[in-house]
Amino acid sequence: MSMPYGLRLLAASCLWAAVAVAQNPDFEQLPLRISSLRPNGACVVDRGRRDLVQIGDRVVLEPRNGQAVQGSVVEVEERQSRVEVVDRAAVLPIGTKGYLLRPKGRRAPPARSPAEPRAKLPPAPVQKQEEWQSGMPLLGTTRPVRPDERPVLTYGRFYTGGNLVRTLDSWSHSFLRTGAEVEVDNPGGHGGTLQFHGEFDWNTEFSGQTGTDLRLLDFSYAKGGTRFQPVRWQVGRFLQHDMPEFGLLDGVEVGFRGENGHRVGASLGYLPLLDEDMESFADLQVAAWYLWNGDIAERVSFGLGYQKTWHRLEVDRDLVVAKARYLPLEGWDLSAAIWVDFYSGRDGLKDDSYGITRANVFAARRWQGQGGIELAYDHEEYPELLRNELAQTILPLTLADAHQDRVSLHAFSLQDEGTRWFLRLTGWVDEEREGGAAEFGVEVPGLLHEGGRTGFVLFDMQGLTNSVIGGRIEHGGTFGVGRIDALYEIGFVHHEGFPNDRDDLLQHRLGFVVTSDFGGGWDAMFSLDGTLWDKELSYGVGIYLQKHF
């Protein structure tokens, strides 16, 4: 049997990383989260120039489904940055966490002049001085601060938001959401971390019924992984630390990191469903993994993990996940991951003894001040499971044969005056059809006013049942009320299978987002979006308000 295409890609990626030479372990992971969204779907994270972020920095976002989303910084402001992700179809709500890879050698900006007003910034996060990394000296110039000598720190946010959406004579897409996210560092002086994230939702559920839900997204206590305690453990509900690919867990995780940077660990618990109710205690899992790191900064890394599940005490899933990455200071960045499900006689729909249910490969190259290129490959198919992970019912034939393979390319060029030209190409194929999309555009700074950016985009999208060709104008900048981003789009839509008098439509779309900082930790986002298909109007009005502390 010849090796499947996804496996060949992963093997090539691992070989590439293995032969690369890691010269300077100078990267650090800067935690961040998505703070707002732009009308064109771009996400904005809460890190900016004050955090030494620069255009081209790589960002990894980690939603709760366990599939990491790669992206890069394309615009930097004082306290936030705009990130373009490779997978434009990824659903990344506000609050999604991740990290930015920042070179440790990057120097701070020059000191401000006496005449320059001081920006009102929140206090910088306190470093946990007892945290230990492989290669750090056991004895330093100063005595490390022990947990019982550090203060207890509490930080987080409260938020509320909602969207009133009218489409096709229905309000079913409207929703209301309010919640709290709190982290307590060093409670009781024992060096651990207590985390809580819960929210109240009102929306239309997958069943079609409108209802309310209390959702517990995270409630856990973690301790260890420091110079004082190399064994790390976490208990509660959390996204698994070393292998987030295994998903959200109600249980316990234990890991150990050696002085060489390698990590080994295991977890035991239940997998909650990622729907409105987030019910648990139906799918028991046990997992184990090993992570090999080539240096302190983990720029060359390989991981291998195994997860076994039981659905209501009946044997269900045997999953192996392998991943690798190579992150040099200069040159090609590379990451790859593959999910392989193994089947036995109890699985009647799959003919093979294994299936590659998910695979992705990402490669990127940046030329400082000149531009860059990103290449990505994704494969996905449905595993045969007793656990019902999907909201809708999948027919057996669809479950057995359905798949999608997608290849994308994103290239951009930066000019001396800050103008950015870009090209994005995507092609996909599934068990029945094939399609793709192309975007070509330019972003020009200061065209309409100083500090603003204006974009012009031409696009052509060939979807599953329709095609759209058109153009888009975007503009964003800071005004007295805050930052305003606006978008106008016109497209010619063709629907397959419709009567001749209704298969071609002229589509207009207009969108606005206003992001304001009220001070004292308060900020808000107001949005307005409308789409007109000939005579059919759909619109949405939204607000998102949050308080940081």
Side-chain angles (χ1 to χ4, degrees):
M1 179 184 297
S2 62
M3 182 180 291
Y5 184 60
L7 280 177
R8 294 201 302 270
L9 279 174
L10 183 67
S13 303
C14 294
L15 179 61
W16 189 358
V19 300
V21 178
Q23 297 179 355
N24 296 307
D26 288 336
F27 271 106
E28 60 183 347
Q29 294 186 1
L30 182 67
L32 52 77
R33 66 159 53 91
I34 295 178
S35 59
S36 62
L37 302 172
R38 298 281 171 84
N40 61 359
C43 60
V44 177
V45 299
D46 58 353
R47 296 290 189 174
R49 279 192 294 268
R50 62 171 181 160
D51 306 297
L52 309 183
V53 175
Q54 294 182 6
I55 293 176
D57 284 348
R58 184 172 175 186
V59 173
V60 180
L61 298 169
E62 297 180 328
R64 291 184 181 85
N65 64 7
Q67 184 174 6
V69 177
Q70 311 287 340
S72 59
V73 175
V74 296
E75 183 182 353
V76 181
E77 299 181 12
E78 184 63 26
R79 300 181 60 186
Q80 62 184 19
S81 301
R82 176 165 63 97
V83 174
E84 277 195 358
V85 299
V86 176
D87 185 1
R88 302 297 290 270
V91 179
L92 298 169
I94 295 176
T96 300
K97 295 181 180 181
Y99 58 88
L100 178 142
L101 294 164
R102 182 181 63 184
K104 289 183 179 180
R106 183 173 295 167
R107 296 183 178 181
R112 67 182 182 91
S113 62
E116 182 182 351
R118 184 181 298 274
K120 296 181 179 180
L121 301 177
V126 177
Q127 298 295 325
K128 303 176 183 179
Q129 299 186 41
E130 83 280 3
E131 288 185 351
W132 174 80
Q133 298 284 333
S134 172
M136 293 176 59
L138 296 179
L139 298 177
T141 57
T142 60
R143 183 179 65 85
V145 180
R146 301 189 68 87
D148 56 4
E149 299 172 327
R150 291 195 294 108
V152 177
L153 298 177
T154 302
Y155 46 94
R157 64 188 181 108
F158 298 108
Y159 61 90
T160 184
N163 273 50
L164 189 64
V165 182
R166 174 74 171 180
T167 181
L168 299 178
D169 298 324
S170 171
W171 300 94
S172 61
H173 293 283
S174 303
F175 66 88
L176 177 66
R177 180 174 298 127
T178 185
E181 187 173 4
V182 181
E183 182 170 322
V184 182
D185 177 40
N186 197 32
H190 301 301
T193 302
L194 179 66
Q195 299 183 73
F196 169 82
H197 186 189
E199 65 180 30
F200 170 83
D201 291 354
W202 175 89
N203 58 12
T204 301
E205 300 181 350
F206 289 118
S207 63
Q209 302 296 318
T210 301
T212 60
D213 297 285
L214 282 172
R215 307 180 73 209
L216 184 62
L217 304 172
D218 190 340
F219 185 37
S220 65
Y221 180 78
K223 187 178 180 182
T226 68
R227 68 179 72 188
F228 303 114
Q229 185 179 348
V231 175
R232 182 189 185 276
W233 58 268
Q234 188 168 5
V235 61
R237 171 171 288 188
F238 55 91
L239 185 65
Q240 301 191 48
H241 183 262
D242 287 332
M243 292 292 291
E245 293 82 2
F246 288 152
L248 202 65
L249 181 70
D250 287 336
V252 61
E253 175 185 278
V254 179
F256 174 80
R257 176 169 178 161
E259 294 185 5
N260 54 9
H262 307 337
R263 296 202 296 272
V264 61
S267 64
L268 174 67
Y270 289 90
L271 302 173
L273 290 172
L274 300 181
D275 57 8
E276 304 95 342
D277 302 316
M278 300 192 71
E279 294 181 351
S280 189
F281 306 113
D283 296 280
L284 178 66
Q285 74 97 55
V286 60
W289 57 85
Y290 175 76
L291 300 179
W292 179 91
N293 295 298
D295 52 42
I296 301 172
E298 302 183 7
R299 294 187 297 112
V300 179
S301 176
F302 299 94
L304 183 65
Y306 170 70
Q307 182 185 57
K308 189 174 185 64
T309 69
W310 294 262
H311 180 73
R312 304 192 187 280
L313 302 182
E314 186 175 350
V315 174
D316 193 11
R317 190 174 196 180
D318 291 280
L319 173 66
V320 172
V321 175
K323 58 182 179 179
R325 74 177 183 184
Y326 170 53
L327 304 173
L329 290 176
E330 295 183 1
W332 284 89
D333 295 347
L334 177 69
S335 64
I338 187 169
W339 287 251
V340 181
D341 276 88
F342 289 89
Y343 302 114
S344 62
R346 65 182 184 278
D347 302 302
L349 298 176
K350 300 290 185 175
D351 296 331
D352 298 326
S353 58
Y354 66 90
I356 302 174
T357 49
R358 185 181 295 171
N360 55 68
V361 176
F362 173 77
R365 179 73 162 92
R366 305 281 189 275
W367 290 270
Q368 185 67 31
Q370 301 179 30
I373 186 171
E374 297 174 342
L375 300 167
Y377 164 77
D378 290 281
H379 167 84
E380 190 163 5
E381 63 184 54
Y382 298 119
E384 183 176 355
L385 300 176
L386 299 175
R387 169 186 170 94
N388 184 18
E389 290 187 322
L390 303 172
Q392 68 273 24
T393 301
I394 302 297
L395 297 176
L397 184 60
T398 303
L399 179 66
D401 299 329
H403 70 275
Q404 185 178 94
D405 292 271
R406 184 171 64 251
V407 179
S408 62
L409 176 147
H410 173 217
F412 63 94
S413 174
L414 301 175
Q415 308 299 318
D416 293 338
E417 65 276 10
T419 299
R420 178 175 179 267
W421 293 86
F422 64 91
L423 172 68
R424 187 183 297 272
L425 302 174
T426 302
W428 59 266
V429 58
D430 63 16
E431 69 280 4
E432 295 180 351
R433 302 288 299 274
E434 60 185 25
E439 284 188 354
F440 176 72
V442 59
E443 293 181 349
V444 183
L447 184 63
L448 299 182
H449 69 92
E450 186 178 357
R453 294 187 69 87
T454 307
F456 303 91
V457 183
L458 298 176
F459 60 86
D460 182 6
M461 294 183 289
Q462 304 295 321
L464 185 62
T465 60
N466 60 56
S467 61
V468 185
I469 184 171
R472 181 167 64 244
I473 301 176
E474 308 169 2
H475 180 75
T478 302
F479 300 87
V481 296
R483 181 181 173 92
I484 300 178
D485 291 275
L487 172 149
Y488 170 71
E489 185 176 283
I490 183 171
F492 300 91
V493 185
H494 175 74
H495 291 280
E496 297 183 9
F498 278 46
N500 291 335
D501 60 339
R502 284 177 287 172
D503 60 349
D504 293 308
L505 301 174
L506 181 63
Q507 172 183 292
H508 300 270
R509 182 184 170 218
L510 187 64
F512 294 92
V513 171
V514 180
T515 308
S516 298
D517 185 353
F518 301 134
W522 287 95
D523 61 72
M525 184 180 73
F526 308 92
S527 62
L528 175 64
D529 196 296
T531 303
L532 178 65
W533 294 281
D534 284 350
K535 298 180 181 180
E536 182 68 33
L537 176 65
S538 297
Y539 59 88
V541 180
I543 182 174
Y544 189 88
L545 179 67
Q546 61 183 348
K547 161 69 173 177
H548 297 272
F549 60 89

